[in-house]
Amino acid sequence: MRTGIWLVGARGSVAVTTMVGALAIRASLAEPLGCVTDLPPLRDAALPGWTDLVFGGHDISMLRLCKKAHSLVGAGVLPAPIVEAVAGELDQIERHLRPAPAGRNQAETIQQTVADLRAFREQHDLERVVVVNVSSTEPLIVAHPAHESLAALDAALPVADVLPASSLYAYAAFTAGCSFVDFTPSTGARLPALAELARRVGTPFAGSDGKTGETLLKSVLAPMFAMRNLRVRSWSGLNLLGGGDGANLAQPEANAAKVASKQRVLKETLGYEPEGQTRIDYVPDIGDLKTAWDLITFSGFLGSRMRLEFTWHGCDSALAAPLVLDLARLTAGAHEQGTAGPMPQLAFFFKDPIGEVSHSLADQWHDLVDWVTGWTDDPS
């Protein structure tokens, strides 16, 4: 199944790592480590193969892909031999990237985006296109009456700015017949009007906020405390990161959106909200690497007071990129099976997943595997 992956934020660290990784896997220069779609339960699913993937995208930056890739080599994210080996193919992808559309109003911006997506599909003879948002985190959205129905939204778009950029992309994706994945904590398709549009045109969507580090550990450890009937009294975390994501999250509005996404797993899993908070601090010197330190205090039998600490050191783009590839392949497969609307079955990949779902990583994994392995029996 020839599949296009249209990356919003295509010149950023996550996007470039994703493209370099896919090209390296295709050429047998690297193993698909971190890609869960290469594990036995999912490997034989009806998903696009590595040679079926075609990349394009939008960005406000004009930095060339090869230059960004070499900067990621310098930051310790990408291996230099692999970047050199795929440089020619990166230059070919470069021709398929476009400046982010900017119309006179939001309706016109959507039209321009739809035109780019349709041209991409036609130029490469693609059966499916998945739009994946890997751009900077947006501030929390301000509610607007136009968000509640598609009719109200369509009436508002030519005359007022009622949608954030991530939601404009979701609208455009659905209009162009493409599925949509929001790897950020931004609003994306999570508005009633956009869910209505997705169902009407028969396109699936998923999100939000890729689960790559501290929250991944929370989704494993929190169920442990719940299943052993241990009372978590407090859970505090400090996240230190640099790079473009860190710089963006230094802005209070974007920081608040990210923290809200990271906190949901504890309340949903434990059934209560322990004391403590999550902080995200920008440390430019550490670049694309990130460190999370968490302190958990808990009570056990006869009120015994105990604590757990963990430190997570990770490379953010190298953790995110394989999940982006997984999500694009799974979403294309789901679209091919006739899935439309939200996909809570992809909760395994997200900090703040769509729908009423378990936040236990093990539960989410079983739900994902059951869903995908059941496609041939039940296309819905």
Side-chain angles (χ1 to χ4, degrees), residues 87-153:
E89 289 174 281
L90 279 180
D91 283 337
Q92 293 178 24
I93 294 173
E94 183 80 44
R95 298 199 293 269
H96 309 318
L97 304 188
R98 299 288 180 267
R104 291 170 296 180
N105 54 55
Q106 291 198 322
E108 189 172 285
T109 298
I110 290 170
Q111 291 172 359
Q112 293 173 2
T113 306
V114 169
D116 283 347
L117 293 173
R118 287 175 173 164
F120 177 61
R121 176 192 284 132
E122 292 168 7
Q123 180 182 359
H124 298 284
D125 193 24
L126 302 171
E127 296 174 67
R128 298 291 175 195
V129 175
V130 184
V131 178
V132 185
N133 182 23
V134 288
S135 62
S136 298
T137 298
E138 298 169 345
L140 293 169
I141 194 172
V142 176
H144 191 283
H147 300 160
E148 296 305 312
S149 74
L150 186 57
L153 182 59

Side-chain angles (χ1 to χ4, degrees), residues 4-41:
I5 303 178
W6 188 268
L7 296 163
V8 182
R11 300 182 189 276
S13 298
V14 172
V16 173
T17 304
T18 298
M19 289 184 275
V20 169
L23 295 173
I25 293 167
R26 178 185 300 171
S28 299
L29 298 173
E31 298 177 74
L33 295 177
C35 294
V36 303
T37 48
D38 195 60
L39 292 173

